[in-house]
Amino acid sequence: MGEFAGNDELTARMAEVRDGVGDVLPAALTLYETLHAAPEPSGQEAGTAALFAARLKEAGCETATGIGGHGVVGLLRNGPGPVVALRAELDALPVTEATELPYASRVPGVMHACGHDAHLACAVGAVEWLAARPGAWSGTLMVIGQPAEETLTGARAMLDEGLYERFGRPDVVLAQHVAPLPCGVVAHGPGPLTSATALVNVVVRGRGGHGATPHLTVDPVVVAASVVQRIQTVVSRENNPFEPLVVTVGTLHAGTAPNVVPDTAELGISIRCYDDAQLDRAIAAVRRVVRGECAAAGCPEEPLITVGPTAPVTVNAPAPAARVRAAHTALLGDRRVLTTPAMLASEDFGLFAAEGVDTVYWFLGSTGATAWRAAPGRTLQEKTAALPANHAPGFAPSPEATLRHGIGAAVAAALACLDRS
């Protein structure tokens, strides 16, 4: 992959990036607002995929759709050189928006609460910037519009349907993710960045009956409540405290009426950590706790326990990550390029590292200056904690500043990995 000749050249190239973003920003803003108002949940991203593919085609990409569900691939070819992929996600979340923005979601109960709409708009803006300046780079830009990231199924589905075999094995896959940091700030992490995760679905099978005669039932709600309590000891009493592990019961569904003991109760559990063996131990412990509580309650049938989907740790490859960080530093300045520690948030981007492909992932600030100044606290951590975070109903990136810096960051990263003409 291409190398910058020196600091002077790098500075000049990043000045060109900054100057050119304004050319593509208005269209990116329109796309962002359109996507935000019409979110589609995981696995149902047909409209989003069609719009994204159309914009890539208009920018000069060869496009393909329907990969691994509603996945999209765009190829912008510009002579010999590396294949550099830029990934953005198509799906929204089952969250009811509470921002009161003029372009707020028009879909009841669905919202782009994680910023995937911004990622898509930044990717299109980056393609348009690069397409307009073929003399600035050489190689192939592969744009991946991934479905179903929130359910951890989309990346695997695209790879299983031959993403790399059909469109070329990239030398590196790049991705950025908005975060409640100040606009104009990016955060890089060396090595492992986001955690491995497993989702576990449990169905406790009891025996239903009348709420007035609990002695004639085996109440799965009580069993589920015991599981919720006992499962916390997997972390507090079975895990080495120096090895991060989170076990969360995120959903619990049971019953239809207060005077009826249901037959079943269903729990959705997520497990997150940084080691595959540790993840396997935690899954085994969850299985043991569930089965033990069901046996203790005298459930008439064994519980149903389903593990999956899973996702690996996201790891930044050292060499391309260093090039991308250097480009971002030249683009934004030293003070605006932060180092973030590893975190227990998870996603399936790490699957794109299949077959030895390098990956680079960074966080993009999305909080406007006014909101940042108004947030209580003095430190970066205090202010970030006080702002609406990803997945919250009030999560609202500052559109113009987020996209301006996000397009610039994506272009800078791509140029850092593509050959110079």
Side-chain angles (χ1 to χ4, degrees), residues 326-366:
H328 286 166
T329 300
L331 178 74
L332 301 168
D334 288 332
R335 295 182 60 190
R336 293 189 173 191
V337 180
L338 309 180
T339 298
T340 181
M343 58 190 66
L344 284 165
S346 301
E347 70 138 282
D348 60 0
F349 177 70
L351 291 167
F352 289 111
E355 304 175 21
V357 172
D358 287 339
T359 56
V360 181
Y361 186 97
W362 66 92
F363 293 98
L364 173 71
S366 62

PDB file of all heavy atoms in Angstrom, residues 326-366:
ATOM      1  N   ALA A 326      -1.635   8.772  11.276  1.00  0.00           N
ATOM      2  CA  ALA A 326      -0.789   9.869  10.810  1.00  0.00           C
ATOM      3  C   ALA A 326      -1.558  10.794   9.869  1.00  0.00           C
ATOM      4  O   ALA A 326      -1.431  12.030   9.937  1.00  0.00           O
ATOM      5  CB  ALA A 326       0.452   9.314  10.117  1.00  0.00           C
ATOM      6  N   ALA A 327      -2.364  10.206   8.994  1.00  0.00           N
ATOM      7  CA  ALA A 327      -3.171  11.020   8.086  1.00  0.00           C
ATOM      8  C   ALA A 327      -4.194  11.846   8.852  1.00  0.00           C
ATOM      9  O   ALA A 327      -4.401  13.038   8.565  1.00  0.00           O
ATOM     10  CB  ALA A 327      -3.861  10.123   7.063  1.00  0.00           C
ATOM     11  N   HIS A 328      -4.835  11.260   9.834  1.00  0.00           N
ATOM     12  CA  HIS A 328      -5.816  12.000  10.640  1.00  0.00           C
ATOM     13  C   HIS A 328      -5.150  13.106  11.443  1.00  0.00           C
ATOM     14  O   HIS A 328      -5.727  14.183  11.638  1.00  0.00           O
ATOM     15  CB  HIS A 328      -6.567  11.040  11.564  1.00  0.00           C
ATOM     16  CG  HIS A 328      -7.569  10.197  10.858  1.00  0.00           C
ATOM     17  ND1 HIS A 328      -8.157   9.087  11.429  1.00  0.00           N
ATOM     18  CD2 HIS A 328      -8.109  10.298   9.616  1.00  0.00           C
ATOM     19  CE1 HIS A 328      -8.999   8.554  10.571  1.00  0.00           C
ATOM     20  NE2 HIS A 328      -8.987   9.266   9.467  1.00  0.00           N
ATOM     21  N   THR A 329      -3.942  12.863  11.906  1.00  0.00           N
ATOM     22  CA  THR A 329      -3.221  13.896  12.651  1.00  0.00           C
ATOM     23  C   THR A 329      -2.888  15.076  11.736  1.00  0.00           C
ATOM     24  O   THR A 329      -3.028  16.243  12.130  1.00  0.00           O
ATOM     25  CB  THR A 329      -1.940  13.305  13.265  1.00  0.00           C
ATOM     26  OG1 THR A 329      -2.289  12.233  14.146  1.00  0.00           O
ATOM     27  CG2 THR A 329      -1.175  14.361  14.056  1.00  0.00           C
ATOM     28  N   ALA A 330      -2.462  14.787  10.508  1.00  0.00           N
ATOM     29  CA  ALA A 330      -2.187  15.858   9.557  1.00  0.00           C
ATOM     30  C   ALA A 330      -3.466  16.588   9.160  1.00  0.00           C
ATOM     31  O   ALA A 330      -3.447  17.797   8.898  1.00  0.00           O
ATOM     32  CB  ALA A 330      -1.499  15.285   8.316  1.00  0.00           C
ATOM     33  N   LEU A 331      -4.577  15.869   9.120  1.00  0.00           N
ATOM     34  CA  LEU A 331      -5.857  16.468   8.735  1.00  0.00           C
ATOM     35  C   LEU A 331      -6.431  17.352   9.837  1.00  0.00           C
ATOM     36  O   LEU A 331      -6.916  18.459   9.578  1.00  0.00           O
ATOM     37  CB  LEU A 331      -6.857  15.352   8.406  1.00  0.00           C
ATOM     38  CG  LEU A 331      -8.275  15.777   8.028  1.00  0.00           C
ATOM     39  CD1 LEU A 331      -8.285  16.369   6.619  1.00  0.00           C
ATOM     40  CD2 LEU A 331      -9.230  14.585   8.107  1.00  0.00           C
ATOM     41  N   LEU A 332      -6.352  16.876  11.089  1.00  0.00           N
ATOM     42  CA  LEU A 332      -7.075  17.516  12.189  1.00  0.00           C
ATOM     43  C   LEU A 332      -6.180  18.202  13.211  1.00  0.00           C
ATOM     44  O   LEU A 332      -6.656  19.055  13.960  1.00  0.00           O
ATOM     45  CB  LEU A 332      -7.933  16.470  12.917  1.00  0.00           C
ATOM     46  CG  LEU A 332      -8.975  15.742  12.063  1.00  0.00           C
ATOM     47  CD1 LEU A 332      -9.535  14.544  12.819  1.00  0.00           C
ATOM     48  CD2 LEU A 332     -10.091  16.692  11.651  1.00  0.00           C
ATOM     49  N   GLY A 333      -4.916  17.788  13.299  1.00  0.00           N
ATOM     50  CA  GLY A 333      -4.025  18.313  14.325  1.00  0.00           C
ATOM     51  C   GLY A 333      -3.862  17.337  15.472  1.00  0.00           C
ATOM     52  O   GLY A 333      -4.750  16.519  15.754  1.00  0.00           O
ATOM     53  N   ASP A 334      -2.719  17.423  16.162  1.00  0.00           N
ATOM     54  CA  ASP A 334      -2.398  16.483  17.241  1.00  0.00           C
ATOM     55  C   ASP A 334      -3.466  16.430  18.322  1.00  0.00           C
ATOM     56  O   ASP A 334      -3.811  15.357  18.825  1.00  0.00           O
ATOM     57  CB  ASP A 334      -1.062  16.864  17.898  1.00  0.00           C
ATOM     58  CG  ASP A 334       0.119  16.565  17.000  1.00  0.00           C
ATOM     59  OD1 ASP A 334       0.010  15.648  16.170  1.00  0.00           O
ATOM     60  OD2 ASP A 334       1.145  17.248  17.123  1.00  0.00           O
ATOM     61  N   ARG A 335      -3.988  17.567  18.717  1.00  0.00           N
ATOM     62  CA  ARG A 335      -4.904  17.631  19.864  1.00  0.00           C
ATOM     63  C   ARG A 335      -6.250  16.984  19.563  1.00  0.00           C
ATOM     64  O   ARG A 335      -7.001  16.688  20.492  1.00  0.00           O
ATOM     65  CB  ARG A 335      -5.111  19.081  20.298  1.00  0.00           C
ATOM     66  CG  ARG A 335      -3.846  19.754  20.831  1.00  0.00           C
ATOM     67  CD  ARG A 335      -4.127  21.168  21.288  1.00  0.00           C
ATOM     68  NE  ARG A 335      -5.132  21.203  22.351  1.00  0.00           N
ATOM     69  CZ  ARG A 335      -5.711  22.316  22.802  1.00  0.00           C
ATOM     70  NH1 ARG A 335      -5.409  23.483  22.259  1.00  0.00           N
ATOM     71  NH2 ARG A 335      -6.597  22.264  23.769  1.00  0.00           N
ATOM     72  N   ARG A 336      -6.557  16.804  18.301  1.00  0.00           N
ATOM     73  CA  ARG A 336      -7.868  16.256  17.942  1.00  0.00           C
ATOM     74  C   ARG A 336      -7.818  14.769  17.590  1.00  0.00           C
ATOM     75  O   ARG A 336      -8.839  14.209  17.174  1.00  0.00           O
ATOM     76  CB  ARG A 336      -8.465  17.051  16.773  1.00  0.00           C
ATOM     77  CG  ARG A 336      -8.822  18.477  17.156  1.00  0.00           C
ATOM     78  CD  ARG A 336      -9.601  19.146  16.068  1.00  0.00           C
ATOM     79  NE  ARG A 336     -10.094  20.451  16.477  1.00  0.00           N
ATOM     80  CZ  ARG A 336     -10.984  21.173  15.799  1.00  0.00           C
ATOM     81  NH1 ARG A 336     -11.479  20.685  14.667  1.00  0.00           N
ATOM     82  NH2 ARG A 336     -11.377  22.343  16.233  1.00  0.00           N
ATOM     83  N   VAL A 337      -6.674  14.159  17.746  1.00  0.00           N
ATOM     84  CA  VAL A 337      -6.546  12.716  17.523  1.00  0.00           C
ATOM     85  C   VAL A 337      -6.228  12.077  18.865  1.00  0.00           C
ATOM     86  O   VAL A 337      -5.132  12.213  19.399  1.00  0.00           O
ATOM     87  CB  VAL A 337      -5.456  12.404  16.483  1.00  0.00           C
ATOM     88  CG1 VAL A 337      -5.340  10.896  16.273  1.00  0.00           C
ATOM     89  CG2 VAL A 337      -5.780  13.088  15.151  1.00  0.00           C
ATOM     90  N   LEU A 338      -7.225  11.409  19.435  1.00  0.00           N
ATOM     91  CA  LEU A 338      -7.127  10.853  20.777  1.00  0.00           C
ATOM     92  C   LEU A 338      -6.805   9.363  20.718  1.00  0.00           C
ATOM     93  O   LEU A 338      -6.953   8.711  19.676  1.00  0.00           O
ATOM     94  CB  LEU A 338      -8.447  11.058  21.531  1.00  0.00           C
ATOM     95  CG  LEU A 338      -9.028  12.474  21.537  1.00  0.00           C
ATOM     96  CD1 LEU A 338     -10.326  12.489  22.329  1.00  0.00           C
ATOM     97  CD2 LEU A 338      -8.034  13.485  22.090  1.00  0.00           C
ATOM     98  N   THR A 339      -6.383   8.839  21.856  1.00  0.00           N
ATOM     99  CA  THR A 339      -6.193   7.397  22.011  1.00  0.00           C
ATOM    100  C   THR A 339      -7.261   6.879  22.948  1.00  0.00           C
ATOM    101  O   THR A 339      -7.395   7.367  24.078  1.00  0.00           O
ATOM    102  CB  THR A 339      -4.801   7.081  22.573  1.00  0.00           C
ATOM    103  OG1 THR A 339      -3.814   7.551  21.646  1.00  0.00           O
ATOM    104  CG2 THR A 339      -4.627   5.578  22.771  1.00  0.00           C
ATOM    105  N   THR A 340      -8.041   5.927  22.485  1.00  0.00           N
ATOM    106  CA  THR A 340      -9.105   5.369  23.304  1.00  0.00           C
ATOM    107  C   THR A 340      -8.703   3.999  23.825  1.00  0.00           C
ATOM    108  O   THR A 340      -8.060   3.223  23.114  1.00  0.00           O
ATOM    109  CB  THR A 340     -10.415   5.254  22.495  1.00  0.00           C
ATOM    110  OG1 THR A 340     -11.454   4.725  23.338  1.00  0.00           O
ATOM    111  CG2 THR A 340     -10.266   4.337  21.300  1.00  0.00           C
ATOM    112  N   PRO A 341      -9.062   3.695  25.069  1.00  0.00           N
ATOM    113  CA  PRO A 341      -8.800   2.339  25.558  1.00  0.00           C
ATOM    114  C   PRO A 341      -9.770   1.348  24.924  1.00  0.00           C
ATOM    115  O   PRO A 341     -10.772   1.734  24.316  1.00  0.00           O
ATOM    116  CB  PRO A 341      -9.059   2.463  27.060  1.00  0.00           C
ATOM    117  CG  PRO A 341     -10.050   3.583  27.178  1.00  0.00           C
ATOM    118  CD  PRO A 341      -9.697   4.552  26.078  1.00  0.00           C
ATOM    119  N   ALA A 342      -9.450   0.074  25.060  1.00  0.00           N
ATOM    120  CA  ALA A 342     -10.380  -0.962  24.614  1.00  0.00           C
ATOM    121  C   ALA A 342     -11.699  -0.824  25.359  1.00  0.00           C
ATOM    122  O   ALA A 342     -11.746  -0.358  26.501  1.00  0.00           O
ATOM    123  CB  ALA A 342      -9.774  -2.330  24.858  1.00  0.00           C
ATOM    124  N   MET A 343     -12.782  -1.208  24.709  1.00  0.00           N
ATOM    125  CA  MET A 343     -14.102  -1.072  25.325  1.00  0.00           C
ATOM    126  C   MET A 343     -14.905  -2.357  25.114  1.00  0.00           C
ATOM    127  O   MET A 343     -14.595  -3.161  24.230  1.00  0.00           O
ATOM    128  CB  MET A 343     -14.843   0.131  24.755  1.00  0.00           C
ATOM    129  CG  MET A 343     -15.046   0.088  23.261  1.00  0.00           C
ATOM    130  SD  MET A 343     -15.660   1.663  22.625  1.00  0.00           S
ATOM    131  CE  MET A 343     -14.236   2.718  22.958  1.00  0.00           C
ATOM    132  N   LEU A 344     -15.941  -2.497  25.930  1.00  0.00           N
ATOM    133  CA  LEU A 344     -16.737  -3.720  25.890  1.00  0.00           C
ATOM    134  C   LEU A 344     -17.957  -3.616  24.977  1.00  0.00           C
ATOM    135  O   LEU A 344     -18.796  -4.500  24.962  1.00  0.00           O
ATOM    136  CB  LEU A 344     -17.151  -4.125  27.308  1.00  0.00           C
ATOM    137  CG  LEU A 344     -16.005  -4.766  28.102  1.00  0.00           C
ATOM    138  CD1 LEU A 344     -16.335  -4.823  29.585  1.00  0.00           C
ATOM    139  CD2 LEU A 344     -15.695  -6.156  27.580  1.00  0.00           C
ATOM    140  N   ALA A 345     -18.050  -2.524  24.221  1.00  0.00           N
ATOM    141  CA  ALA A 345     -19.019  -2.496  23.136  1.00  0.00           C
ATOM    142  C   ALA A 345     -18.567  -3.506  22.081  1.00  0.00           C
ATOM    143  O   ALA A 345     -17.372  -3.767  21.937  1.00  0.00           O
ATOM    144  CB  ALA A 345     -19.104  -1.106  22.540  1.00  0.00           C
ATOM    145  N   SER A 346     -19.525  -4.070  21.362  1.00  0.00           N
ATOM    146  CA  SER A 346     -19.203  -5.108  20.388  1.00  0.00           C
ATOM    147  C   SER A 346     -19.871  -4.825  19.063  1.00  0.00           C
ATOM    148  O   SER A 346     -20.896  -4.145  18.998  1.00  0.00           O
ATOM    149  CB  SER A 346     -19.680  -6.476  20.891  1.00  0.00           C
ATOM    150  OG  SER A 346     -19.087  -6.801  22.115  1.00  0.00           O
ATOM    151  N   GLU A 347     -19.280  -5.345  18.021  1.00  0.00           N
ATOM    152  CA  GLU A 347     -19.915  -5.355  16.707  1.00  0.00           C
ATOM    153  C   GLU A 347     -19.228  -6.397  15.841  1.00  0.00           C
ATOM    154  O   GLU A 347     -18.232  -7.008  16.250  1.00  0.00           O
ATOM    155  CB  GLU A 347     -19.902  -3.956  16.103  1.00  0.00           C
ATOM    156  CG  GLU A 347     -18.574  -3.421  15.673  1.00  0.00           C
ATOM    157  CD  GLU A 347     -18.712  -2.710  14.337  1.00  0.00           C
ATOM    158  OE1 GLU A 347     -18.774  -3.446  13.324  1.00  0.00           O
ATOM    159  OE2 GLU A 347     -18.764  -1.475  14.302  1.00  0.00           O
ATOM    160  N   ASP A 348     -19.747  -6.594  14.634  1.00  0.00           N
ATOM    161  CA  ASP A 348     -19.237  -7.699  13.819  1.00  0.00           C
ATOM    162  C   ASP A 348     -18.204  -7.265  12.789  1.00  0.00           C
ATOM    163  O   ASP A 348     -17.846  -8.039  11.900  1.00  0.00           O
ATOM    164  CB  ASP A 348     -20.379  -8.463  13.150  1.00  0.00           C
ATOM    165  CG  ASP A 348     -21.230  -7.614  12.211  1.00  0.00           C
ATOM    166  OD1 ASP A 348     -20.940  -6.412  12.062  1.00  0.00           O
ATOM    167  OD2 ASP A 348     -22.182  -8.159  11.618  1.00  0.00           O
ATOM    168  N   PHE A 349     -17.675  -6.055  12.893  1.00  0.00           N
ATOM    169  CA  PHE A 349     -16.671  -5.581  11.947  1.00  0.00           C
ATOM    170  C   PHE A 349     -15.443  -6.482  11.939  1.00  0.00           C
ATOM    171  O   PHE A 349     -14.803  -6.666  10.888  1.00  0.00           O
ATOM    172  CB  PHE A 349     -16.268  -4.144  12.285  1.00  0.00           C
ATOM    173  CG  PHE A 349     -15.183  -3.588  11.400  1.00  0.00           C
ATOM    174  CD1 PHE A 349     -15.447  -3.292  10.070  1.00  0.00           C
ATOM    175  CD2 PHE A 349     -13.912  -3.368  11.889  1.00  0.00           C
ATOM    176  CE1 PHE A 349     -14.448  -2.786   9.247  1.00  0.00           C
ATOM    177  CE2 PHE A 349     -12.908  -2.859  11.077  1.00  0.00           C
ATOM    178  CZ  PHE A 349     -13.177  -2.571   9.749  1.00  0.00           C
ATOM    179  N   GLY A 350     -15.092  -7.065  13.090  1.00  0.00           N
ATOM    180  CA  GLY A 350     -13.921  -7.917  13.171  1.00  0.00           C
ATOM    181  C   GLY A 350     -13.964  -9.111  12.237  1.00  0.00           C
ATOM    182  O   GLY A 350     -12.914  -9.670  11.894  1.00  0.00           O
ATOM    183  N   LEU A 351     -15.148  -9.508  11.800  1.00  0.00           N
ATOM    184  CA  LEU A 351     -15.256 -10.642  10.875  1.00  0.00           C
ATOM    185  C   LEU A 351     -14.637 -10.331   9.511  1.00  0.00           C
ATOM    186  O   LEU A 351     -14.241 -11.246   8.790  1.00  0.00           O
ATOM    187  CB  LEU A 351     -16.720 -11.040  10.702  1.00  0.00           C
ATOM    188  CG  LEU A 351     -17.380 -11.684  11.932  1.00  0.00           C
ATOM    189  CD1 LEU A 351     -18.886 -11.745  11.757  1.00  0.00           C
ATOM    190  CD2 LEU A 351     -16.816 -13.078  12.163  1.00  0.00           C
ATOM    191  N   PHE A 352     -14.541  -9.057   9.149  1.00  0.00           N
ATOM    192  CA  PHE A 352     -13.937  -8.711   7.865  1.00  0.00           C
ATOM    193  C   PHE A 352     -12.437  -8.979   7.847  1.00  0.00           C
ATOM    194  O   PHE A 352     -11.804  -8.904   6.788  1.00  0.00           O
ATOM    195  CB  PHE A 352     -14.221  -7.244   7.520  1.00  0.00           C
ATOM    196  CG  PHE A 352     -15.653  -6.979   7.157  1.00  0.00           C
ATOM    197  CD1 PHE A 352     -16.475  -6.239   7.982  1.00  0.00           C
ATOM    198  CD2 PHE A 352     -16.188  -7.488   5.985  1.00  0.00           C
ATOM    199  CE1 PHE A 352     -17.802  -5.993   7.652  1.00  0.00           C
ATOM    200  CE2 PHE A 352     -17.524  -7.255   5.640  1.00  0.00           C
ATOM    201  CZ  PHE A 352     -18.330  -6.506   6.486  1.00  0.00           C
ATOM    202  N   ALA A 353     -11.859  -9.292   9.002  1.00  0.00           N
ATOM    203  CA  ALA A 353     -10.444  -9.655   9.059  1.00  0.00           C
ATOM    204  C   ALA A 353     -10.207 -11.099   8.623  1.00  0.00           C
ATOM    205  O   ALA A 353      -9.097 -11.609   8.774  1.00  0.00           O
ATOM    206  CB  ALA A 353      -9.908  -9.444  10.470  1.00  0.00           C
ATOM    207  N   ALA A 354     -11.223 -11.756   8.084  1.00  0.00           N
ATOM    208  CA  ALA A 354     -11.067 -13.128   7.593  1.00  0.00           C
ATOM    209  C   ALA A 354      -9.968 -13.200   6.539  1.00  0.00           C
ATOM    210  O   ALA A 354      -9.717 -12.235   5.815  1.00  0.00           O
ATOM    211  CB  ALA A 354     -12.395 -13.614   6.999  1.00  0.00           C
ATOM    212  N   GLU A 355      -9.318 -14.332   6.478  1.00  0.00           N
ATOM    213  CA  GLU A 355      -8.292 -14.608   5.471  1.00  0.00           C
ATOM    214  C   GLU A 355      -7.093 -13.676   5.590  1.00  0.00           C
ATOM    215  O   GLU A 355      -6.393 -13.394   4.611  1.00  0.00           O
ATOM    216  CB  GLU A 355      -8.878 -14.517   4.057  1.00  0.00           C
ATOM    217  CG  GLU A 355     -10.076 -15.432   3.821  1.00  0.00           C
ATOM    218  CD  GLU A 355     -10.712 -15.228   2.455  1.00  0.00           C
ATOM    219  OE1 GLU A 355     -10.024 -14.702   1.554  1.00  0.00           O
ATOM    220  OE2 GLU A 355     -11.887 -15.576   2.289  1.00  0.00           O
ATOM    221  N   GLY A 356      -6.849 -13.172   6.797  1.00  0.00           N
ATOM    222  CA  GLY A 356      -5.684 -12.336   7.014  1.00  0.00           C
ATOM    223  C   GLY A 356      -5.809 -10.903   6.548  1.00  0.00           C
ATOM    224  O   GLY A 356      -4.805 -10.184   6.455  1.00  0.00           O
ATOM    225  N   VAL A 357      -7.009 -10.437   6.254  1.00  0.00           N
ATOM    226  CA  VAL A 357      -7.228  -9.053   5.828  1.00  0.00           C
ATOM    227  C   VAL A 357      -7.010  -8.123   7.017  1.00  0.00           C
ATOM    228  O   VAL A 357      -7.503  -8.371   8.112  1.00  0.00           O
ATOM    229  CB  VAL A 357      -8.652  -8.886   5.252  1.00  0.00           C
ATOM    230  CG1 VAL A 357      -8.963  -7.415   4.976  1.00  0.00           C
ATOM    231  CG2 VAL A 357      -8.802  -9.712   3.983  1.00  0.00           C
ATOM    232  N   ASP A 358      -6.295  -7.019   6.800  1.00  0.00           N
ATOM    233  CA  ASP A 358      -6.092  -6.027   7.848  1.00  0.00           C
ATOM    234  C   ASP A 358      -7.363  -5.193   8.039  1.00  0.00           C
ATOM    235  O   ASP A 358      -8.104  -4.946   7.069  1.00  0.00           O
ATOM    236  CB  ASP A 358      -4.936  -5.085   7.490  1.00  0.00           C
ATOM    237  CG  ASP A 358      -3.579  -5.754   7.619  1.00  0.00           C
ATOM    238  OD1 ASP A 358      -3.478  -6.768   8.335  1.00  0.00           O
ATOM    239  OD2 ASP A 358      -2.624  -5.253   7.004  1.00  0.00           O
ATOM    240  N   THR A 359      -7.593  -4.747   9.262  1.00  0.00           N
ATOM    241  CA  THR A 359      -8.721  -3.859   9.553  1.00  0.00           C
ATOM    242  C   THR A 359      -8.246  -2.679  10.373  1.00  0.00           C
ATOM    243  O   THR A 359      -7.333  -2.798  11.196  1.00  0.00           O
ATOM    244  CB  THR A 359      -9.848  -4.589  10.305  1.00  0.00           C
ATOM    245  OG1 THR A 359      -9.321  -5.186  11.500  1.00  0.00           O
ATOM    246  CG2 THR A 359     -10.496  -5.666   9.454  1.00  0.00           C
ATOM    247  N   VAL A 360      -8.877  -1.525  10.143  1.00  0.00           N
ATOM    248  CA  VAL A 360      -8.622  -0.308  10.919  1.00  0.00           C
ATOM    249  C   VAL A 360      -9.963   0.338  11.236  1.00  0.00           C
ATOM    250  O   VAL A 360     -10.784   0.554  10.332  1.00  0.00           O
ATOM    251  CB  VAL A 360      -7.727   0.689  10.154  1.00  0.00           C
ATOM    252  CG1 VAL A 360      -7.460   1.929  11.022  1.00  0.00           C
ATOM    253  CG2 VAL A 360      -6.414   0.041   9.731  1.00  0.00           C
ATOM    254  N   TYR A 361     -10.167   0.670  12.500  1.00  0.00           N
ATOM    255  CA  TYR A 361     -11.460   1.148  13.002  1.00  0.00           C
ATOM    256  C   TYR A 361     -11.185   2.322  13.938  1.00  0.00           C
ATOM    257  O   TYR A 361     -10.288   2.247  14.775  1.00  0.00           O
ATOM    258  CB  TYR A 361     -12.119  -0.008  13.740  1.00  0.00           C
ATOM    259  CG  TYR A 361     -13.526   0.173  14.240  1.00  0.00           C
ATOM    260  CD1 TYR A 361     -14.606  -0.291  13.497  1.00  0.00           C
ATOM    261  CD2 TYR A 361     -13.798   0.741  15.483  1.00  0.00           C
ATOM    262  CE1 TYR A 361     -15.902  -0.187  13.968  1.00  0.00           C
ATOM    263  CE2 TYR A 361     -15.100   0.854  15.956  1.00  0.00           C
ATOM    264  CZ  TYR A 361     -16.148   0.394  15.198  1.00  0.00           C
ATOM    265  OH  TYR A 361     -17.435   0.487  15.672  1.00  0.00           O
ATOM    266  N   TRP A 362     -11.925   3.385  13.792  1.00  0.00           N
ATOM    267  CA  TRP A 362     -11.747   4.545  14.675  1.00  0.00           C
ATOM    268  C   TRP A 362     -13.104   5.166  15.006  1.00  0.00           C
ATOM    269  O   TRP A 362     -14.114   4.879  14.362  1.00  0.00           O
ATOM    270  CB  TRP A 362     -10.824   5.588  14.027  1.00  0.00           C
ATOM    271  CG  TRP A 362     -11.373   6.236  12.789  1.00  0.00           C
ATOM    272  CD1 TRP A 362     -12.092   7.393  12.706  1.00  0.00           C
ATOM    273  CD2 TRP A 362     -11.250   5.746  11.438  1.00  0.00           C
ATOM    274  NE1 TRP A 362     -12.425   7.651  11.400  1.00  0.00           N
ATOM    275  CE2 TRP A 362     -11.920   6.681  10.609  1.00  0.00           C
ATOM    276  CE3 TRP A 362     -10.633   4.627  10.863  1.00  0.00           C
ATOM    277  CZ2 TRP A 362     -11.998   6.513   9.225  1.00  0.00           C
ATOM    278  CZ3 TRP A 362     -10.704   4.465   9.492  1.00  0.00           C
ATOM    279  CH2 TRP A 362     -11.379   5.394   8.692  1.00  0.00           C
ATOM    280  N   PHE A 363     -13.104   6.008  16.021  1.00  0.00           N
ATOM    281  CA  PHE A 363     -14.322   6.679  16.458  1.00  0.00           C
ATOM    282  C   PHE A 363     -14.295   8.133  16.002  1.00  0.00           C
ATOM    283  O   PHE A 363     -13.252   8.788  15.997  1.00  0.00           O
ATOM    284  CB  PHE A 363     -14.485   6.593  17.976  1.00  0.00           C
ATOM    285  CG  PHE A 363     -14.736   5.191  18.445  1.00  0.00           C
ATOM    286  CD1 PHE A 363     -13.705   4.413  18.935  1.00  0.00           C
ATOM    287  CD2 PHE A 363     -16.003   4.637  18.373  1.00  0.00           C
ATOM    288  CE1 PHE A 363     -13.922   3.117  19.348  1.00  0.00           C
ATOM    289  CE2 PHE A 363     -16.241   3.332  18.773  1.00  0.00           C
ATOM    290  CZ  PHE A 363     -15.195   2.577  19.266  1.00  0.00           C
ATOM    291  N   LEU A 364     -15.472   8.641  15.635  1.00  0.00           N
ATOM    292  CA  LEU A 364     -15.636   9.965  15.057  1.00  0.00           C
ATOM    293  C   LEU A 364     -16.531  10.812  15.958  1.00  0.00           C
ATOM    294  O   LEU A 364     -17.667  10.430  16.245  1.00  0.00           O
ATOM    295  CB  LEU A 364     -16.271   9.834  13.659  1.00  0.00           C
ATOM    296  CG  LEU A 364     -16.668  11.123  12.950  1.00  0.00           C
ATOM    297  CD1 LEU A 364     -15.422  11.886  12.490  1.00  0.00           C
ATOM    298  CD2 LEU A 364     -17.570  10.804  11.756  1.00  0.00           C
ATOM    299  N   GLY A 365     -16.027  11.956  16.405  1.00  0.00           N
ATOM    300  CA  GLY A 365     -16.832  12.846  17.234  1.00  0.00           C
ATOM    301  C   GLY A 365     -18.046  13.364  16.496  1.00  0.00           C
ATOM    302  O   GLY A 365     -17.971  13.697  15.308  1.00  0.00           O
ATOM    303  N   SER A 366     -19.195  13.445  17.208  1.00  0.00           N
ATOM    304  CA  SER A 366     -20.442  13.854  16.557  1.00  0.00           C
ATOM    305  C   SER A 366     -21.231  14.877  17.372  1.00  0.00           C
ATOM    306  O   SER A 366     -22.386  15.154  17.057  1.00  0.00           O
ATOM    307  CB  SER A 366     -21.329  12.624  16.309  1.00  0.00           C
ATOM    308  OG  SER A 366     -21.690  11.998  17.527  1.00  0.00           O
TER     309      SER A 366
END
